[in-house]
Amino acid sequence: MSPNFRLAPGQLKEIFDRLSTSQKVSLITVTAITILSILVLLIWANRPQYTILFSDLANSDAAKIRDRLQDEKVTYRLRDGGSTILVPKGRVYDLRLQLAADGIPSQPGAGYEIFDRTNLGMSDFVQKLNYRRALEGELGRTISGIDEVEQARVHVVIPEPALFREDEKETTASVVLKTKGHSRLGEDQIRGIAILVARSVEGLDPENVTILDSNGNLLSGAKAPDAMVGLSATQLELQHKVESYLASKAQSMLDGVLGPGRSIVRVSAELDFQTIERTREYYDPESAVVRSEERTESVTSGGGSPETKEENSLSNYEINKTVEHLVNTGGSIIRLSVAVMVDGIYETSEDGAKIYTPRAPEEMTALGNMVRGALGIREDRGDVLEITNIAFDNETFADVKDTWSAEQNKDLLITMLPKVILGIVLLVLLLMVRGFLKRNLNVARNALEKEGALMPANRGAAQLMPGQPGVRKSPLSKIELPELDEEIPKEVKEAQAKKDQLADFAKTKPELATMLVRSWLLES
């Protein structure tokens, strides 16, 4: 071990004994408060972080999970009226696997596992009822696998077969969906769920599947099957896609020129959804070609009359014919109406206020021409383009932006606050210890100066003279050298005397010398 470490306890005890009673009480109090603060901060910073184990639990499942956690001696927290259970972050995945192995939480609705338990006394009615329950449970689990769906319940009505066809009733089904958060299902997803249920139940048509959300809003079904209704929804979707595509083209171009948030583009498209089929036949009269020719000759004689000869000819001609079958599926653009708003220029005055300046007419004309070219505006088609220079309301956007920034800063502050407080406390503790040591080392240095004042002034100087006692004789001392005392400058003699005086003091009182050196190092 280093000599400094061995001497440290004695030095600290000597320094502590020199303090007054009030200084001792202050030192002990500050040290205790500092250690206690560090312990509290360490406990706070290393506290377990809780994360969600399961949420939206039924009361029965929450009770089972709570009992299981108590048996495992796992700390937990309840939230949202007991429907959400939080556990330490490091054990969440292990606990989920253990609970899943025990079938906790239970699945919503029984599936085909209901037939795992055989019952010899089961009647035909109970067997059909269990089959329907299993079918409904399996469909509910399948639909719950969709990302936007949190929970689904399916009800199927399968009527009994009738003797006559006109007495038969159709199979129907209803589905109740609970979506996750603010998620919404698209039209394609709703139609897909209806088709899934219809294809899973024998004799069920997609039109007989009714889908509702958890608020009771009708999503599909219970409507007369009308092909035009579905076609209208498709037409509106196509129109919306065309308008969004054209608006994004113009908006991206203006954002590159003016900057984001400096322009707004809206497009209204009128599309032609008429489906027209035409069949045309064209005949070319100049391209006549003989297809067939028939000639008949007959000769008549007798009765004193002269002989007569009759000749008949029949020719059939084929004329070229062109048949065209034209089908116009619709969706072409009939007319476009485009509205563009462009923000002006803002200049900052001397007092910091923003002054709005409209853009020049030449600049607005150039922007209009760019939008007209990008969207393919045609005046012969009746397209309309309106571009306006108007001041935007930037204060509302600035308030929203400030709110977002404040939320982000709040999250960052919550994350970094324990570390910052711990660092500040450690820094304050270091400064306090440094100041305390510096004050006590000053006391030691003053004591050292008093000790040095009591020592003989010529002690170190006398040791410089050859032959004096206390000076180690080297082998070279046998050689007789000329006296050089008269040639040595007085300043050199005094510096060497002080150096020897300090070396002798360091040998006799090493503790005070060490404290003095440390005080010099702290001052430097």
Side-chain angles (χ1 to χ4, degrees):
M1 183 181 292
S2 176
N4 294 331
F5 287 102
R6 290 196 298 268
L7 296 175
Q11 297 174 0
L12 293 176
K13 184 177 182 303
E14 183 179 356
I15 294 173
F16 185 77
D17 293 338
R18 292 181 181 179
L19 297 177
S20 63
T21 305
S22 60
Q23 291 178 340
K24 292 179 179 179
V25 173
S26 301
L27 177 61
I28 295 174
T29 304
V30 171
T31 304
I33 293 174
T34 303
I35 294 174
L36 183 61
S37 301
I38 294 176
L39 291 177
V40 170
L41 285 175
L42 289 175
I43 294 173
W44 183 42
N46 296 325
R47 71 188 189 280
Q49 297 182 357
Y50 287 86
T51 186
I52 295 177
L53 178 64
F54 292 108
S55 60
D56 297 329
L57 292 170
N59 293 333
S60 58
D61 292 335
K64 294 178 182 178
I65 296 175
R66 182 203 59 187
D67 296 340
R68 182 64 180 273
L69 294 178
Q70 291 177 353
D71 294 340
E72 296 287 340
K73 296 182 180 180
V74 179
T75 58
Y76 64 91
R77 292 180 181 177
L78 300 178
R79 200 174 65 183
D80 299 334
S83 61
T84 302
I85 299 179
L86 296 88
V87 296
K89 188 176 181 180
R91 299 203 58 186
V92 60
Y93 301 110
D94 186 26
L95 291 173
R96 284 179 182 174
L97 294 177
Q98 292 180 8
L99 294 172
D102 297 337
I104 304 175
S106 59
Q107 294 290 339
Y112 288 122
E113 65 272 7
I114 196 173
F115 295 106
D116 294 341
R117 300 184 299 271
T118 58
N119 189 354
L120 298 178
M122 183 182 299
S123 62
D124 185 57
F125 173 77
V126 175
Q127 189 173 3
K128 290 182 180 180
L129 183 61
N130 288 338
Y131 169 74
R132 193 177 65 185
R133 289 177 55 196
L135 182 61
E136 293 173 351
E138 292 294 335
L139 287 174
R141 295 177 184 178
T142 303
I143 297 174
S144 299
I146 301 175
D147 294 337
E148 292 81 3
V149 178
E150 180 178 345
Q151 187 177 0
R153 294 201 64 182
V154 181
H155 303 278
V156 179
V157 178
I158 303 176
E160 294 292 335
L163 182 59
F164 300 101
R165 182 180 297 274
E166 58 270 11
D167 295 335
E168 290 183 354
K169 296 181 180 180
E170 295 182 348
T171 304
T172 58
S174 59
V175 182
V176 181
L177 303 177
K178 182 180 179 182
T179 56
K180 296 179 181 178
H182 299 284
S183 302
R184 296 185 61 185
L185 293 172
E187 293 293 335
D188 294 338
Q189 291 176 308
I190 295 173
R191 287 195 296 268
I193 293 174
I195 294 174
L196 170 66
V197 176
R199 297 296 183 267
S200 301
V201 180
E202 184 180 359
L204 180 60
D205 294 330
E207 292 80 9
N208 293 331
V209 178
T210 304
I211 302 177
L212 295 86
D213 61 7
S214 57
N215 297 322
N217 298 321
L218 185 63
L219 301 180
S220 73
K223 298 179 181 179
D226 189 355
M228 294 304 296
V229 175
L231 184 61
S232 299
T234 305
Q235 292 173 0
L236 291 175
E237 184 178 0
L238 176 61
Q239 181 178 356
H240 178 69
K241 289 182 179 180
V242 171
E243 293 173 350
S244 300
Y245 171 69
L246 295 176
S248 63
K249 285 180 62 177
Q251 188 69 63
S252 61
M253 181 183 61
L254 292 177
D255 289 344
V257 177
L258 305 176
R262 304 300 302 276
S263 62
I264 300 175
V265 180
R266 294 292 182 268
V267 177
S268 176
E270 182 180 352
L271 305 181
D272 183 11
F273 294 106
Q274 293 183 356
T275 302
I276 302 175
E277 295 185 8
R278 293 188 178 93
T279 302
R280 296 179 180 179
E281 293 185 4
Y282 297 96
Y283 296 92
D284 187 7
E286 297 181 357
S287 61
V289 178
V290 177
R291 185 179 63 177
S292 62
E293 184 176 359
E294 183 181 353
R295 291 183 180 183
T296 305
E297 295 182 357
S298 61
V299 178
T300 305
S301 63
S305 61
E307 185 180 75
T308 60
K309 185 177 182 181
E310 183 180 356
E311 183 178 351
N312 296 322
S313 176
L314 177 62
S315 299
N316 295 321
Y317 294 90
E318 188 70 30
I319 301 175
N320 290 344
K321 180 177 68 173
T322 303
V323 179
E324 294 181 354
H325 185 70
L326 304 177
V327 179
N328 185 7
T329 58
S332 60
I333 297 176
I334 300 177
R335 185 172 177 270
L336 290 178
S337 297
V338 183
V340 180
M341 291 192 301
V342 179
D343 197 4
I345 302 174
Y346 295 90
E347 297 179 356
T348 305
S349 60
E350 297 179 355
D351 56 354
K354 291 185 178 181
I355 302 175
Y356 172 77
T357 304
R359 297 184 183 273
E362 296 81 5
E363 185 179 1
M364 296 299 298
T365 303
L367 294 175
N369 293 333
M370 286 191 297
V371 174
R372 184 176 287 104
L375 301 184
I377 301 296
R378 291 169 50 185
E379 296 181 356
D380 59 341
R381 193 171 54 186
D383 297 347
V384 179
L385 171 62
E386 291 291 339
I387 182 168
T388 306
N389 186 199
I390 190 172
F392 286 9
D393 183 12
N394 296 322
E395 296 182 358
T396 304
F397 178 75
D399 295 340
V400 174
K401 185 177 181 181
D402 294 340
T403 304
W404 290 347
S405 300
E407 292 294 333
Q408 293 178 354
N409 295 334
K410 181 179 178 181
D411 296 338
L412 181 62
L413 181 61
I414 293 175
T415 305
M416 299 298 297
L417 184 59
K419 301 178 181 178
V420 173
I421 293 177
L422 182 60
I424 292 175
V425 170
L426 293 177
L427 180 61
V428 171
L429 177 62
L430 180 62
L431 294 176
M432 292 175 60
V433 172
R434 181 178 182 275
F436 176 77
L437 292 177
K438 187 175 181 180
R439 287 194 301 270
N440 290 276
L441 290 176
N442 289 333
V443 175
R445 183 173 61 182
N446 294 332
L448 180 62
E449 292 177 355
K450 292 180 181 179
E451 292 288 343
L454 298 176
M455 294 178 62
N458 57 352
R459 181 178 177 181
Q463 291 178 354
L464 293 174
M465 301 301 294
Q468 294 293 331
V471 178
R472 180 181 296 178
K473 293 183 179 181
S474 63
L476 297 177
S477 60
K478 298 180 180 180
I479 303 175
E480 296 182 357
L481 296 175
E483 297 291 337
L484 298 176
D485 293 345
E486 297 180 356
E487 298 180 1
I488 298 176
K490 184 178 180 181
E491 293 79 3
V492 176
K493 293 180 179 180
E494 292 178 353
Q496 186 65 32
K498 292 180 179 180
K499 184 183 299 183
D500 294 339
Q501 183 180 0
L502 291 174
D504 184 67
F505 179 75
K507 291 179 180 179
T508 56
K509 295 184 177 182
E511 294 84 0
L512 293 178
T514 303
M515 295 174 62
L516 179 61
V517 173
R518 289 180 179 176
S519 66
W520 290 344
L521 293 176
L522 289 174
E523 290 179 354
S524 61

